[in-house]
Amino acid sequence: MTAPEGRGIAGPDDGTSFRILHVSTGNVCRSPITERLTRHALCDRLGDPYGGGLIVESAGTWGHEGAPMEANAELVLADFGADASGFVGRELLDEHVIRADLVLTATRDHRAQVISMGHSAGLRTFTLKEFTRLVRAIDPATLPDPLSDGMVERARALVRAAAALRGWLLAPSAEADEVNDPYGAPITFFRSVGEEINDALDPVVTALTGVPAKR
């Protein structure tokens, strides 16, 4: 099944791919930034715009269906050399959660809303910064090798390992697992949010791919 233009990287639904779904409120600020920075990081590490089977999408719990991302969000992506073109906002639907292998949300409220939709989403839904914190505690040597076992198997194992750690490795504060909403804020705040998201994504993409960022 091919995703509509701007709504995710097209890929098969036959078990050979791994879908990452980023969720925020309007799907015009945080989740578009996170989606496109994830794609950019995968391409940077792998030289592959399709992420070696890792499919990256986004949606909003109150998504502005059909809307472009905020202009300041586009500027933030340009700062990182990431591609903002072709993006189209969408409202979070059951089908998005059903198809996702990993859901990363901006806040705990978003996480709770995704989990409340059902579809056994609890074990594969985290806030972005929560997932980063858990991933940092996982020994990469315990994960499948991306070359011999495949990146999809490695990604699935990473989610299982993170879920197993969740009750044991707690955040220093509730706010530590959240990314604040920059909607309506000046570009300086958008840029600070972009840096925050990029810093959180770096260890996640490294763990998913087994390839560190180029320095």
Side-chain angles (χ1 to χ4, degrees), residues 85-214:
S85 65
F87 180 84
V88 179
R90 62 182 187 174
E91 184 174 353
L92 181 67
L93 302 176
D94 290 271
E95 65 187 75
H96 305 144
V97 177
I98 291 168
R99 296 174 73 189
D101 298 288
L102 172 62
V103 184
L104 297 176
T105 70
T107 70
R108 291 169 297 147
D109 281 347
H110 297 132
R111 182 184 66 193
Q113 289 180 67
V114 171
I115 293 172
S116 73
M117 295 172 74
H119 315 303
S120 303
L123 292 177
R124 51 195 168 89
T125 303
F126 310 79
T127 76
L128 169 62
K129 292 173 74 174
E130 173 192 20
F131 194 66
T132 301
R133 175 167 48 79
L134 297 172
V135 161
R136 289 184 185 277
I138 297 169
D139 181 356
T142 64
L143 299 173
D145 183 85
L147 295 179
S148 60
D149 300 304
M151 208 163 297
V152 169
E153 286 305 312
R154 182 183 178 93
R156 289 174 180 159
L158 183 67
V159 173
R160 291 193 298 268
L165 281 175
R166 180 150 44 189
W168 299 93
L169 190 63
L170 302 179
S173 68
E175 294 73 22
D177 279 345
E178 306 212 330
V179 177
N180 291 324
D181 190 357
Y183 185 77
I187 186 60
T188 52
F189 189 70
F190 265 85
R191 286 193 165 117
S192 69
V193 167
E195 290 284 354
E196 187 178 356
I197 290 171
N198 192 62
D199 289 347
L201 282 173
D202 181 68
V204 170
V205 177
T206 298
L208 285 168
T209 63
V211 181
K214 297 174 183 177

Side-chain angles (χ1 to χ4, degrees), residues 1 9-20 50-55 99-101 151-153 155-156:
M1 181 180 296
I9 297 176
D13 287 326
D14 57 4
T16 63
S17 61
F18 181 93
R19 287 184 178 271
I20 302 169
Y50 294 99
L54 306 183
I55 299 168
R99 296 174 73 189
D101 298 288
M151 208 163 297
V152 169
E153 286 305 312
R156 289 174 180 159

Side-chain angles (χ1 to χ4, degrees), residues 12-36:
D13 287 326
D14 57 4
T16 63
S17 61
F18 181 93
R19 287 184 178 271
I20 302 169
L21 176 66
H22 293 296
V23 175
S24 62
T25 303
N27 194 214
V28 292
C29 296
R30 287 169 291 182
S31 51
I33 291 172
T34 315
E35 172 196 312
R36 294 307 175 94

